[in-house]
Amino acid sequence: LPAADGDLAATRQTMINGVELAKHDLETRYGNKINLKIDFQNGCFLNDSVTAVEKFIWDGVSIIGGSFCLFGYIPILPMTEANKIITFNTAANPDITLNLEYAFSINLSVKDEAHALAQFAFHNLGKRNAVFLFMDTPCG
């Protein structure tokens, strides 16, 4: 991918650096017993992520790591589940991404996070009234 700029450029570069460090560590530790190929694709939007995953399926990729962008992650899940490709992402997850066989996250579910915040507001802050504004899409 070309260099990115904007609000998430630093996050993107941090994630790339982390993946490269992990690859170096694994190759140092396991040598030729492991074959890692890293391919960074833009996957934040439906068309980009679906095109990338179609390529990955063709290439025989077995694990796809995602970012914080659920707009590109959610649409690939039927494809990755059907092809038994492990996926993981870093975002808080709506219910549609939970309890899948091959999809994992390093973050909380949206429902669990909302529950924890409500409990804190009720018990710690003594709040009894709340209004929720939310996105009414598959992402939330």
Side-chain angles (χ1 to χ4, degrees), residues 2-128:
D5 58 1
D7 294 340
L8 296 177
T11 301
R12 175 187 184 274
Q13 192 57 53
T14 299
M15 292 178 82
I16 289 171
N17 293 346
V19 168
E20 294 291 351
L21 285 170
K23 179 182 181 201
H24 175 74
D25 182 53
L26 289 168
E27 288 175 343
T28 300
R29 186 174 296 170
Y30 297 105
N32 62 3
K33 295 178 185 177
I34 190 167
N35 179 19
L36 295 175
K37 177 186 172 201
I38 297 174
D39 186 347
F40 297 103
Q41 297 285 328
N42 186 358
C44 196
F45 298 104
L46 179 123
N47 290 340
D48 295 330
S49 64
V50 168
T51 299
V53 170
E54 288 172 342
K55 174 189 177 295
F56 294 152
I57 290 169
W58 180 260
D59 291 346
V61 168
S62 55
I63 300 173
I64 298 173
S67 69
F68 207 78
C69 193
L70 290 172
F71 294 108
Y73 184 67
I74 290 172
I76 69 167
L77 292 175
M79 296 167 56
T80 56
E81 288 289 308
N83 287 280
K84 299 180 180 178
I85 297 171
I86 295 169
T87 63
F88 64 91
N89 76 81
T90 61
N93 293 279
D95 287 351
I96 193 171
T97 64
L98 304 175
N99 301 315
L100 299 174
E101 192 168 354
Y102 298 96
F104 302 93
S105 176
I106 62 169
N107 209 324
L108 302 170
S109 76
V110 172
K111 186 185 291 183
D112 290 344
E113 185 70 4
H115 181 76
L117 290 171
Q119 290 293 319
F120 178 79
F122 185 85
H123 295 293
N124 296 72
L125 302 177
K127 302 299 180 184
R128 299 298 184 259

